Amino acid sequence: MTVTPIKNPQNTRTDRGGVRLTVSGSDDTKQFALQLNGQDAGSLSGPGGTKDFSDQAAGAISFTVTPLTRFDVPNIGGGSGAGEATRKDGTVIGAPVLGSVSLASTGDTSAHVSYSGSGAQASEAVTASYSIGKNPIQGPKNCFTDGQSSPDFDGLRKYSFVSAMACLRSDYGMSSGTSGSVFIGRQLQAPQVTYTIANAPTAAGDGVIYDLLKNPDGTPKLDVQGKEADTKLIYSNTGTEELSLDPASAAEFGVKQCYGDAPCSDERTVGWRNAPTIVTAKPNGQCLPLTNGSVGNPSSDELKTRLTISAAAAPEATAKAGTPANGLVPVTITWGGSFQPLQQATLNVCTTP
């Protein structure tokens, strides 16, 4: 008597399989009474043959077979037509055991696929194949048909999210699993970006401006360190790639680099040179009164009431009047605090007799 696992390469269940029971007896055996794990399992015609038992729980299985003779045996002295029962153990083998599938980045363009689970349930041979989804939208290809035997992949797109599939196949079934999406490449580092405000004023109408230095094409002139190729810089004060400064605010803001919309690096505070933001200053049309041809010695605060200075820099401005001439008085502004590196600016304020 033998108990043999039934091969079923298309089986996808690890917990179910089948076995084939083969028995043989003497020529006078009419049939065999069968028990499966102690429960009635029908019969098998003699003197020998096979019977398949499908959809059985994977693991150990036990048969007890009792031959029944074709001759009539008188019931004298305990006589019986049943022969001696024989027990035979076997193993039901399901599809290969595959737990979770993992994908790990091993470089900027490479990754390795692994899986948990024993694979084989007994001593059966199991082959593995792997595939990877270079397109994060479509996911990995079917590794049963389009897989490779090596779990290592190269030529992936740097700074992309991909997932992988692992497939196990044996004579007794097939199993597969898919990993979650994994970032390929080393973690993006926060870039270092510094902008520069001109330290010398330039004329702007009847006033002056200390503007953001720009390139010939009009884009901000930036000192950028640590930016990777094919990434974009996103500024926290705009939420976009545009670096925008508000003369009314000297508040700090951050920058990060992103590959598409994700992944992104951590943020780092944007640095500056000369001043934290653009500065503008101009007369506001309120004139200084003259007394005997002089404006006297007005305070800085009084002079600043005749000027419009951008809000972020205004508290750091100190104004001083010069000698009036031709209906105008020169007012010189000196900068302090975060704006101290800026050169002085002189504006002409009107006077009234």
Side-chain angles (χ1 to χ4, degrees):
M1 179 170 61
T2 60
V3 179
T4 307
I6 296 176
K7 295 181 178 181
N8 182 8
Q10 301 305 311
N11 178 25
T12 59
R13 294 190 60 173
T14 61
D15 62 335
R16 310 298 289 183
V19 292
R20 176 169 294 128
L21 173 66
T22 302
V23 296
S24 62
S26 61
D27 291 341
D28 67 333
T29 302
K30 179 180 180 182
Q31 64 180 14
F32 299 90
L34 308 178
Q35 284 190 331
L36 169 58
N37 292 333
Q39 302 296 318
D40 179 55
S43 62
L44 182 64
S45 297
T50 62
K51 186 173 183 178
D52 289 346
F53 294 82
S54 60
D55 195 27
Q56 300 297 311
I61 194 170
S62 178
F63 287 93
T64 300
V65 177
T66 303
L68 302 176
T69 181
R70 68 176 67 252
F71 299 118
D72 293 330
V73 178
N75 188 14
I76 300 174
S80 171
E84 183 179 357
T86 303
R87 173 175 168 169
K88 185 68 175 180
D89 296 331
T91 301
V92 178
I93 302 177
V97 178
L98 175 63
S100 61
V101 177
S102 300
L103 177 66
S105 176
T106 55
D108 282 345
T109 59
S110 59
H112 176 80
V113 186
S114 60
Y115 64 87
S116 64
S118 61
Q121 296 203 21
S123 58
E124 78 275 21
V126 175
T127 57
S129 57
Y130 309 88
S131 63
I132 203 163
K134 296 183 179 181
N135 183 333
I137 297 176
Q138 295 180 349
K141 294 181 179 180
N142 186 336
C143 51
F144 286 118
T145 56
D146 296 302
Q148 64 180 46
S149 59
S150 171
D152 296 306
F153 291 83
D154 205 348
L156 306 177
R157 187 175 182 182
K158 185 179 180 181
Y159 302 140
S160 61
F161 280 101
V162 300
S163 57
M165 185 177 187
C167 295
L168 301 183
R169 188 192 298 273
S170 74
D171 287 339
Y172 303 94
M174 52 199 297
S175 303
S176 64
T178 304
S179 74
S181 294
V182 172
F183 173 72
I184 300 300
R186 64 184 184 277
Q187 180 64 41
L188 286 171
Q189 300 300 308
Q192 184 174 336
V193 178
T194 304
Y195 60 86
T196 302
I197 301 297
N199 70 332
T202 56
D206 59 350
V208 296
I209 184 171
Y210 300 81
D211 206 357
L212 174 67
L213 292 188
K214 297 179 181 178
N215 297 307
D217 62 1
T219 58
K221 190 174 184 179
L222 303 175
D223 180 4
V224 179
Q225 303 292 328
K227 181 184 180 299
E228 299 285 348
D230 300 326
T231 63
K232 59 184 179 182
L233 299 176
I234 302 295
Y235 297 94
S236 63
N237 62 336
T238 63
T240 69
E241 297 178 71
E242 179 185 3
L243 186 147
S244 179
L245 300 178
D246 181 2
S249 173
E252 292 183 340
F253 59 95
V255 62
K256 61 185 178 181
Q257 61 175 320
C258 299
Y259 185 84
D261 293 331
C264 295
S265 70
D266 293 334
E267 282 190 358
R268 176 177 288 177
T269 301
V270 176
W272 50 266
R273 297 187 180 100
N274 298 329
T277 191
I278 297 167
V279 177
T280 60
K282 65 178 181 178
N284 61 18
Q286 298 185 49
C287 300
L288 282 167
L290 287 175
T291 303
N292 297 324
S294 172
V295 295
N297 188 27
S299 67
S300 175
D301 288 343
E302 183 180 355
L303 291 172
K304 286 165 67 175
T305 63
R306 269 72 176 176
L307 304 174
T308 298
I309 303 174
S310 52
E316 308 297 342
T318 300
K320 184 176 182 180
T323 302
N326 303 318
L328 298 173
V329 60
V331 176
T332 299
I333 303 172
T334 302
W335 307 98
S338 299
F339 299 86
Q340 188 173 8
L342 300 180
Q343 296 179 14
Q344 293 179 335
T346 299
L347 303 174
N348 290 315
V349 176
C350 60
T351 60
T352 57

